[in-house]
Every structure is written in structure tokens, then in C-alpha cells.
Amino acid sequence: MALYFVSPTGGDSDSGTLGSPMSLRKASGDTAWAPSPGDIFEFRGGIYANTWNQKASGISGSPLLYRPYGSETAIIDGSRLASNLTTANPDPWVDVSGETGWSSEPGFTSA
């Protein structure tokens, strides 16, 4: 299990540290690098307008966890999400959590 940071301006080649946050694309496993079960991703504040196509998954007892960083608000453009991040077709090993800190356009449901 590792802690990574994601930013709207993060890059696919960035390491995911607080000083070099990764892209949403990389955090979702949509690059050559893939997360490991139990990894935690904290989203820095800002607008994520690129497509969130979740390709990586956790395992039973070790889901991937996506949550806002601290008190920052991560705004997800729900019109560009893949169907595997909605309650209609959830991935049981991906946890998009946080009662506060998420804001979204229609089409996004955080569980």
C-alpha cells in the first residue's frame, strides 16, 4: 500500500509525490504504470476535466482508495466518466470516498 497524490496539472510521468503529483489518467491505471491493491490516491483541489477511465482495481480487503486531499475540493467533470465509476456499474474494489471535498457535474456518483 502506498500513498499517491493526483493533480489536474499532474503528468503521466510524474511520480505521485506531493511535490510531483500524477495525472488522473495515471492514477486510474490507464498508463503503462498501474496501482497496486490498497494504494491510496489523494486528489489535490481543482477541476479534473479529462476522462476518468478506471482500468486498475484492488482486491478483496485492499481496494484502491480515491479521496480528496485535506480540505481541498476536487471537482470532477462527470460528463466524461467511464461507466465503471457510477453506482449503476460499480467496481467493488475501487472506493471513491469522502463525504466532503468532492464536487461534480451531473453524471458522477461518489460512493
Side-chain angles (χ1 to χ4, degrees):
M1 173 178 70
L3 174 63
Y4 297 102
F5 298 91
V6 184
S7 169
T9 58
D12 290 349
S13 62
D14 292 335
S15 62
T17 63
L18 188 56
S20 184
M22 66 177 63
S23 67
L24 172 59
R25 184 172 173 262
K26 183 174 181 179
S28 68
D30 198 13
T31 64
W33 178 86
S36 297
D39 283 352
I40 299 169
F41 297 87
E42 294 196 343
F43 282 62
R44 300 301 311 266
I47 299 171
Y48 293 81
N50 50 334
T51 300
W52 187 342
N53 186 17
Q54 188 66 35
K55 296 206 173 182
S57 184
I59 59 173
S60 178
S62 292
L64 296 178
L65 175 61
Y66 297 92
R67 64 186 181 203
Y69 172 75
S71 62
E72 296 183 10
T73 299
I75 300 170
I76 306 297
D77 179 355
S79 67
R80 301 187 66 184
L81 294 176
S83 63
N84 56 357
L85 283 176
T86 66
T87 55
N89 183 21
D91 181 331
W93 312 125
V94 174
D95 182 2
V96 180
S97 71
E99 293 300 315
T100 61
W102 290 112
S103 180
S104 62
E105 297 299 320
F108 179 71
T109 303
S110 63

